[in-house]
Amino acid sequence: MTKQIRLNAFDMNCVGHQSPGLWRHPRDTSSNYTSLAYWTDLARTLERGKFDGIFLADVMGVYDVYGSSPDAALRNGVQVPVNDPTLIIPAMAAVTEHLGFGVTCTLSYEPPYPFARRMSTLDHLTNGRIGWNIVTGYLDSAAKAMGQARQVAHDTRYEIAEEYMEVVYKLWEGSWEDDAVRRDRASGIYTDPSKVHRVAHHGTYFDVEGIHLSEPSPQRTPVLYQAGSSSKGQAFAAGHSECVFVGAPSRQIVGPTIARLRKQVAAQGRDPADVLVFGMMTVIVGETDEAALRRLEDYKSYVSHEGALVLMSGWTGIDFSGCKSEDVVRHIRNDAVHSAIDRFTIADPDRIWTVGEVADFIGIGGASPVIVGSPGRVADELEAWIRETDLDGFNLTYQVMPETFVDFVDLVVPELQRRGIYKRDYSPGSLREKLFGSGPRLRAPHPAARYRRGAEAVTGDILPEPVAALR
Ligand SMILES: Cc1cc2nc3c(=O)[nH]c(=O)nc-3n(C[C@H](O)[C@H](O)[C@H](O)COP(=O)(O)O)c2cc1C
């Protein structure tokens, strides 16, 4: 059977997101991001186009690597100002029935206990449509704002993340049994205390003693997204992720990245098909190829090259402010996003990038490839990407909001549906059920399942103590 293409809109609670300078375009409305109507309108458009979800990026800290100052980021509106991504989700959930929400939250600056409750609350309020993009951050500016001298080293961040996951799995999966909440008016028992279990976690980085505060939500553990591409990042993704997000300019890089990832997933005893891989993608569509090309030229005239290099500097931890346009981009290894510098250097040795070319490229859709053309051409290209790289779907960037998504829904979605490679309607259930066709909960051999209690417990688990036993 032909693979069904999965689609997320890629967005962030700020202006412009992946297209620096485009907020100046006369038709762009992204500076309305501070209003709820902006988000509810977008959610309705995406659900009309049967998008699987909206994927909300978030970065704690400002992009102040460029010129060792936040000024260029502030001037160009490069992912600052930026609001909290979680707070817009309930409003979007209220006006939709099926759209999923993948929200990026860094685990580096929030203890697992309150974070687990926030995710459970969102899972309740969205009726099981929440996903979490697990990130550890990459900006020193965030670490400094949080009282640290600099961010924790790249590989150590993944070690901390491993333990963080163990804690939140214990809270989400192991603290409350499915039938703990009785709401029994006759006996006056709201919750049966013998079915609520204290988590007693004492590890290297976290100590947590207590019961989870939220009652069981539809999915318990949110659908887990991850976007690390380094070897540590891929090992983490292979162990935990249900959806992986990759971003690179060419199929030559994306294909082998996915092959390595699926191998690692299999090595962890999981079915490689249990992980959906989304590629960052930019689509500029028109009624005809010529109309789409005209639109690209129009968009290009609003790109901020300085803004593009602010992004590149932040992702890579390399200050590009003193570079000339013709300077060649060279590889270095530091504590920022490894894949961000790799994709313009060692990941494709046949392609040499100058700083000017990188700025041009990032100006439209960040580090994603760009497809320009008629609906037929766009559909051909999307199919080719899936066929040649083994992607499952795309996180679509926008250039002009809401034009990019309205055009995609009106022009490309019907073409994909006509070809039988995109759903005509949603399937029922939680986000996890819609994506994987299974139940709403994570199943063994996923590590989260180890902490489950009661009827669904996996035997041999190391389980937390019941609350009643403490009394
Ligand atoms: C396509 C893509 C999107 C990402 N989105 C975010 C984000 O929204 N917030 C964030 O803090 N990190 C984000 N990251 C960074 C990753 O989560 C990860 O921390 C980073 O890639 C470092 O891991 P690596 O060196 O293993 O690639 C993203 C990375 C990629 C490739």
Side-chain angles (χ1 to χ4, degrees), residues 57-77:
D58 188 48
V59 184
M60 191 66 88
V62 291
Y63 284 75
D64 61 358
V65 176
Y66 184 90
S68 305
S69 152
D71 290 1
L74 287 163
R75 214 168 28 241
N76 290 284

Side-chain angles (χ1 to χ4, degrees), residues 164-184:
Y164 197 101
M165 297 311 294
E166 191 182 329
V167 177
V168 290
Y169 291 152
K170 285 175 178 172
L171 290 164
W172 286 325
E173 302 286 340
S175 188
W176 292 60
E177 291 185 37
D178 286 345
D179 54 356
V181 177
R182 299 244 302 260
R183 290 188 202 92
D184 185 342

Side-chain angles (χ1 to χ4, degrees), residues 91-221:
M92 290 193 278
V95 300
T96 54
E97 194 185 337
H98 297 286
L99 188 69
F101 304 95
V103 63
T104 301
C105 297
T106 176
L107 54 79
S108 295
Y109 306 114
E110 184 175 4
Y113 192 67
F115 174 72
R117 181 174 71 152
R118 208 139 51 90
M119 280 293 125
S120 295
T121 307
L122 284 171
D123 201 39
H124 279 297
L125 295 179
T126 60
N127 196 20
R129 289 187 277 152
I130 197 74
W132 170 32
N133 179 31
I134 309 160
V135 302
T136 61
Y138 49 82
L139 293 171
D140 274 333
S141 63
K144 287 180 190 151
M146 296 300 290
Q148 301 167 12
R150 69 188 64 79
Q151 67 181 324
V152 172
H154 179 273
D155 288 5
T156 312
R157 294 206 298 275
Y158 279 116
E159 275 165 35
I160 297 171
E162 280 292 343
E163 191 180 327
Y164 197 101
M165 297 311 294
E166 191 182 329
V167 177
V168 290
Y169 291 152
K170 285 175 178 172
L171 290 164
W172 286 325
E173 302 286 340
S175 188
W176 292 60
E177 291 185 37
D178 286 345
D179 54 356
V181 177
R182 299 244 302 260
R183 290 188 202 92
D184 185 342
R185 289 172 195 266
S187 68
I189 293 178
Y190 196 86
T191 301
D192 177 352
S194 72
K195 291 181 182 278
V196 181
H197 307 277
R198 180 178 63 97
V199 167
H201 177 94
H202 298 286
T204 310
Y205 301 103
F206 302 103
D207 287 296
V208 176
E209 284 262 354
I211 62 163
H212 187 40
L213 290 171
S214 301
E215 65 178 86
S217 67
Q219 300 182 117
R220 301 287 193 109
T221 299

Side-chain angles (χ1 to χ4, degrees), residues 242-409:
E242 301 172 86
C243 300
V244 171
F245 184 18
V246 295
S250 68
R251 290 173 215 180
Q252 286 79 350
I253 300 176
V254 171
T257 303
I258 296 176
R260 274 197 308 276
L261 173 73
R262 296 221 195 267
K263 234 171 148 175
Q264 292 218 39
V265 172
Q268 306 253 1
R270 298 173 65 201
D271 182 347
D274 283 352
V275 175
L276 295 176
V277 187
F278 291 80
M280 185 158 53
M281 184 58 75
T282 296
V283 169
I284 297 173
V285 65
E287 296 281 356
T288 61
D289 286 347
E290 294 70 32
L293 282 168
R294 275 197 304 277
R295 184 154 276 189
L296 172 66
E297 290 311 313
D298 174 44
Y299 289 173
K300 274 185 177 170
S301 68
Y302 290 92
V303 167
S304 161
H305 284 92
E306 184 181 57
L309 292 180
V310 167
L311 278 177
M312 181 69 177
S313 298
W315 295 333
T316 60
I318 301 166
D319 182 359
F320 285 92
S321 65
C323 294
K324 293 198 220 45
S325 180
E326 61 276 19
D327 289 347
V328 168
V329 176
R330 307 224 177 265
H331 184 261
I332 64 162
R333 188 49 88 225
N334 58 19
D335 281 326
V337 181
H338 288 181
S339 51
I341 189 67
D342 294 358
R343 64 193 166 210
F344 293 111
T345 53
I346 55 174
D348 184 1
D350 297 335
R351 173 74 164 93
I352 308 282
W353 289 83
T354 65
V355 173
E357 284 171 336
V358 167
D360 278 344
F361 188 77
I362 287 178
I364 299 285
S368 78
V370 182
I371 299 173
V372 185
S374 64
R377 182 181 295 275
V378 169
D380 286 348
E381 279 290 309
L382 294 177
E383 279 198 87
W385 268 86
I386 297 236
R387 195 174 52 244
E388 290 171 30
T389 64
D390 194 23
L391 275 170
D392 296 290
F394 303 97
N395 276 2
L396 294 176
T397 71
Y398 71 84
Q399 283 57 63
V400 169
M401 185 67 101
E403 181 168 285
T404 298
F405 294 121
V406 171
D407 284 352
F408 194 93
V409 167

